[in-house]
Amino acid sequence: MQDDISREDRLDWYRRMCLIRGFEEEIHNLNKAGLVQGTAHLYIGMEAIAVGACSAMNSADLLTSTHRGHGHCIARGLDTGRMMAEILGRVDGYCGGKGGSMHITDVSRGMLGADGIVGGGIPIAVGAALGVRLKGDLSVVLCFFGEGASNQGSFHESLNLAAVRRLAVVFICENNLWALSAPFAEVTAGGSVANRAGAYGIPGEKVDGNDVEAVFKAVNEAAKRARAGLGPSLLECVSYRWEGHSIFTRQEIRPAEEIQQWKQRDPINRYRARLIEAKTAASEVLGQIELQVSEQISKAIQFAKNSSLPDSETAFRNTYA
Amino acid sequence: MRQTSYAEALNEALREEMRRDPLVFVLGEDVGRMGGLFKVTQALLEEFGPERVIDTPISEAAIAGAGVGSALVGTRPVIEFQFNDFMTIAMDQIVNHAAKLRYMTNGMVSVPLVIRAPVCGGISLGAQHSQSLESWFVHTPGLKVVMPSTPADAKGLLKSAIRDDNPVLFFEHRLLYAQTGEVPDEEHLVALGVADVKRTGTDLTLVATGRTVSLALRAAEKLSEEGIEVEVIDPRTLKPLDTHLIFQSVRKTNRLLVASDGWSACGYASEVMATVMEHCFFDLDAPIQRVCPKDVPMPVAGPLQKAVMVSEEDIVSNCRRVLAT
Ligand SMILES: Cc1ncc(C[n+]2csc(CCOP(=O)(O)OP(=O)(O)O)c2C)c(N)n1
């Protein structure tokens, strides 16, 4: 990815953020209709992180994701129809209905998988970086995880291993301030994830996770560093999830005013205003994009609904021991 | 007696034991402010305060280790894991430490630790949130393993587990939390290591654990309509196993089927089969069979999940199989 941001980039980022938002909103409706198989953790409010970060990736780069992974998938250009089909447990889903929302994977796009285990994807990113180096590739691995995961041993072990081996990983902490019912400050010593980089002698930086361009710039810098063989970096992108922890959540524990405040810092509205103000695009142009996005989402839902539920016999495929 | 849900019964057990013994405390993710992912620790924070109801970071290895350490100094921690799948992260502390310390120190220390966790399956949460890993712990000397199937057993066993001086792994089931049943109003303890006959019968002994107990009882009702009387035994404590009750039943019915939500390979059902074989071979009129989930990770899509999990029909057809020979 080049350093300078073009108009096309900006409009594309706006489009992708809208696509994530709309896609996630529809999951609520599909869930009410009883169509979602299992759970889903929505990414609404955090769109700027995935879009900014994945925009710094080259085509051969890789990423590992989390239980809250739809945003990363869409930002990386996965097919929304196949994603939705997976969430509805259909045969045309990325994992044929075996994985569901928490396990969407598309290796062809370098998406090594979402993960149901908090902190589970972090060492896998390190391993991927180790593997691509052995193969002589220059790929960088983006490793997404929540601030909650930064209290797992796997986080600390992975940072250390990546740092001593100078691996091409960009650790991207999505600090949405709450891990289920746990407020960040209460469970995180030192009050910062970015500062933990210091313990491993790697760069650590706090980023406004509701500013797509700020995220892009930070990840782009870290990726350049990684590509140059200078090792990993840790970025803490601060944002907020607007919805409950998962679509199963019945009771909101976070203060209503806090949620309201963060909604006023909507990364999408904010970017929209900025694009108009900077005369990058007129409101009508953005409206056009929004229209295209909602058409794409309708198509994705249609595709998913038209896909059938898998035959029970497929439960016994892909086994080997 | 009152009708109480399985989750409420567990909550009562915790509350009563915490009132009785100030050294009992609860530790885990989301156990305080939220009252637990499945509401088992509901309102304990309000009554006992943040020193005894501790919301931890997401750090399963440290949580289990903190349980071991606090137990070593004589307190009685009750740890909650949100799904038993996450215990894999804490295996070192559970298997290499909690299970070993009393023995390794020649009895100098003991570890009065309870670890509660739901096994799952049945709500399309997929391969990392649907396992029944109880047999891993049964396999390891030094751990008691409990798996109640009714609200009354849940309450009585949890209270006994908390009073036990050794590590007890306490497996609940996500699908049982909302199930209601009668729970005595007065002090209710169920001793560890004592199985329960959930239904008497003469034709076949059916040993079932956890969620499969209710499936077994329904299967038994169905077969009863055909004049087949199945005796359903719930071990309740998987280890130490009440072999006496099971052997007695097998010697009466001469046939055995074992049902479990854990996989068959080196699984709990296999262990029960082997134990009965060793002691009751000449009492058996037919080969013992087991009903376990299919030997694959749990898929998400409804039809796939259904194909993998143990069902009432599986139990009925396997009862027939055992009775056919
Ligand atoms: C090892 C493990 N422990 C606990 C859970 C249950 N759980 C799922 S998501 C979550 C909170 C994660 O917080 P964070 O990493 O900050 O991500 P967020 O949900 O805020 O995006 C918890 C406790 C899990 N899936 N895996």
Side-chain angles (χ1 to χ4, degrees):
Chain A
M1 187 73 208
Q2 300 190 328
D3 290 348
D4 44 326
I5 304 169
S6 69
R7 177 172 186 271
E8 285 67 47
D9 290 333
R10 293 197 160 97
L11 295 186
D12 187 50
W13 297 352
Y14 181 71
R15 182 184 67 79
R16 280 176 202 269
M17 289 200 289
C18 290
L19 190 57
I20 296 172
R21 174 77 50 97
F23 184 90
E24 298 290 64
E25 282 170 350
E26 284 303 328
I27 290 176
H28 271 310
N29 300 330
L30 292 164
N31 187 44
K32 272 192 214 121
L35 289 172
V36 174
Q37 301 264 301
T39 189
H41 303 80
L42 304 182
Y43 199 72
I44 297 176
M46 298 159 64
E47 296 88 348
I49 307 176
V51 172
C54 291
S55 301
M57 292 173 80
N58 288 341
S59 61
D61 289 345
L62 305 165
L63 76 143
T64 63
S65 174
T66 68
H67 57 286
R68 201 175 300 288
H70 305 165
H72 310 140
C73 294
I74 292 176
R76 184 55 176 164
L78 268 67
D79 181 80
T80 42
R82 291 193 63 196
M83 284 179 62
M84 196 59 97
E86 189 58 39
I87 293 162
L88 304 195
R90 307 299 170 109
V91 279
D92 295 304
Y94 271 105
C95 307
K98 280 182 179 160
S101 160
M102 278 194 286
H103 300 291
I104 297 174
T105 303
D106 182 6
V107 173
S108 74
R109 300 202 65 83
M111 162 56 185
L112 300 182
D115 205 307
I117 300 298
V118 170
I122 308 177
I124 291 177
V126 173
L130 202 60
V132 290
R133 184 154 81 190
L134 188 65
K135 285 168 44 180
D137 294 348
L138 284 176
S139 308
V140 169
V141 187
L142 300 200
C143 172
F144 291 98
F145 55 92
E147 87 290 346
S150 75
N151 294 318
Q152 285 285 32
S154 65
F155 165 82
H156 295 275
E157 295 174 22
S158 297
L159 257 67
N160 184 55
L161 180 56
V164 292
R165 303 298 308 172
R166 287 191 171 228
L167 295 172
V169 185
V170 183
F171 294 101
I172 303 172
C173 174
E174 301 183 308
N175 186 352
N176 59 18
L177 306 180
W178 291 80
L180 239 166
S181 76
F184 175 60
E186 269 179 39
V187 290
T188 317
S192 157
V193 177
N195 285 353
R196 293 178 172 188
Y200 304 102
I202 64 174
E205 190 191 336
K206 196 174 203 161
V207 182
D208 178 352
N210 279 14
D211 180 344
V212 66
E213 297 199 4
V215 175
F216 167 76
K217 283 178 190 145
V219 176
N220 198 39
E221 279 310 306
K224 272 202 290 192
R225 221 185 102 81
R227 259 185 255 287
L230 298 174
S233 309
L234 171 63
L235 302 173
E236 176 184 356
C237 301
V238 181
S239 184
Y240 201 77
R241 68 169 154 78
W242 288 13
E243 301 298 319
H245 172 71
S246 78
I247 57 171
F248 285 178
T249 302
R250 298 265 169 276
Q251 215 182 346
E252 183 53 75
I253 250 172
R254 303 169 302 167
E257 319 81 74
E258 185 182 284
I259 301 175
Q260 241 6 79
Q261 274 167 16
W262 277 94
K263 285 188 175 176
Q264 271 148 30
R265 282 180 245 171
D266 180 352
I268 298 183
N269 270 345
R270 207 168 142 184
Y271 202 49
R272 193 179 206 286
R274 202 200 286 180
L275 292 178
I276 292 170
E277 200 184 283
K279 301 210 185 324
T280 309
S283 176
E284 299 76 59
V285 174
L286 300 176
Q288 222 29 63
I289 291 175
E290 289 151 19
L291 212 63
Q292 282 163 11
V293 161
S294 59
E295 278 166 19
Q296 183 179 342
I297 293 167
S298 306
K299 280 199 194 125
I301 294 170
Q302 220 38 59
F303 174 82
K305 283 184 175 168
N306 288 342
S307 173
S308 50
L309 284 164
D311 270 353
S312 58
E313 149 284 319
T314 64
F316 308 108
R317 290 204 201 131
N318 312 110
T319 58
Y320 43 83
Chain B
M1 294 232 252
R2 308 150 292 136
Q3 287 288 321
T4 305
S5 78
Y6 186 93
E8 285 161 356
L10 290 165
N11 183 262
E12 281 176 16
L14 288 168
R15 187 181 306 279
E16 288 174 14
E17 291 308 298
M18 290 178 83
R19 283 181 186 160
R20 190 187 54 79
D21 181 350
L23 294 180
V24 175
F25 72 103
V26 168
L27 187 71
E29 292 157 23
D30 308 291
V31 294
R33 187 183 276 106
M34 189 177 171
L37 194 56
F38 303 118
K39 300 291 168 213
V40 172
T41 56
Q42 179 103 314
L44 296 182
L45 176 66
E46 287 77 352
E47 179 169 350
F48 301 102
E51 291 296 317
R52 291 180 69 200
V53 183
I54 303 173
D55 270 326
T56 65
I58 306 172
S59 308
E60 282 82 6
I63 296 167
V68 174
S70 54
L72 272 183
V73 299
T75 61
R76 291 184 177 268
V78 182
I79 286 175
E80 173 173 302
F81 283 113
Q82 297 183 332
F83 287 87
N84 79 142
D85 314 64
F86 311 156
M87 291 168 75
T88 55
I89 295 166
M91 284 307 272
D92 165 57
Q93 289 297 332
I94 300 170
V95 171
N96 295 328
H97 295 87
K100 307 284 194 280
L101 290 175
R102 178 160 181 173
Y103 184 84
M104 277 193 313
T105 61
N106 204 21
M108 194 193 312
V109 300
S110 60
V111 181
L113 163 68
V114 176
I115 299 182
R116 301 179 30 249
V119 298
C120 196
I123 51 168
S124 281
L125 288 181
Q128 297 174 338
H129 288 72
S130 301
Q131 302 173 88
S132 279
L133 299 175
E134 64 276 11
S135 71
W136 290 21
F137 304 96
V138 173
H139 182 68
T140 305
L143 300 172
K144 296 186 182 183
V145 184
V146 175
M147 189 180 249
S149 68
T150 66
D153 287 349
K155 179 171 181 182
L157 286 164
L158 183 54
K159 285 169 67 88
S160 296
I162 292 170
R163 296 182 192 190
D164 200 280
D165 285 333
N166 295 300
V168 180
L169 300 188
F170 195 94
F171 291 105
E172 301 157 12
H173 196 294
R174 171 71 183 80
L175 291 180
L176 291 178
Y177 285 129
Q179 221 166 77
T180 56
E182 286 190 338
V183 176
D185 292 318
E186 62 284 358
E187 172 83 329
H188 177 60
L189 288 162
V190 175
L192 303 189
V194 181
D196 191 34
V197 178
K198 295 292 184 197
R199 183 187 196 281
T200 53
T202 46
D203 301 324
L204 165 77
T205 300
L206 171 48
V207 172
T209 58
R211 182 191 72 104
T212 64
V213 174
S214 54
L215 302 183
L217 288 170
R218 288 209 300 269
E221 284 310 309
K222 211 172 259 174
L223 289 163
S224 176
E225 289 163 16
E226 302 168 20
I228 298 165
E229 294 305 331
V230 176
E231 180 144 301
V232 178
I233 296 184
D234 176 0
R236 303 194 290 194
T237 301
L238 308 188
K239 191 178 190 180
L241 177 62
D242 183 354
T243 52
H244 177 74
L245 194 77
I246 295 172
F247 294 167
Q248 214 175 27
S249 175
V250 170
R251 287 182 178 130
K252 177 177 73 175
T253 65
N254 312 110
R255 288 167 202 273
L256 175 67
L257 177 69
V258 189
S260 164
D261 268 331
W263 290 298
S264 61
C266 293
Y268 193 67
S270 320
E271 177 56 27
V272 173
M273 291 169 86
T275 305
V276 170
M277 272 280 296
E278 282 167 350
H279 294 89
C280 306
F281 182 79
F282 294 107
D283 299 301
L284 291 166
D285 286 344
I288 308 169
Q289 303 291 346
R290 57 190 159 173
V291 193
C292 298
K294 305 296 186 301
D295 201 18
V296 296
M298 190 71 78
V300 161
L304 306 187
Q305 181 181 251
K306 189 157 172 279
V308 169
M309 285 180 73
V310 172
S311 68
E312 185 185 319
E313 293 73 47
D314 291 337
I315 295 179
V316 170
S317 63
N318 276 280
C319 284
R320 291 192 205 285
R321 219 169 119 206
V322 177
L323 287 160
T325 29

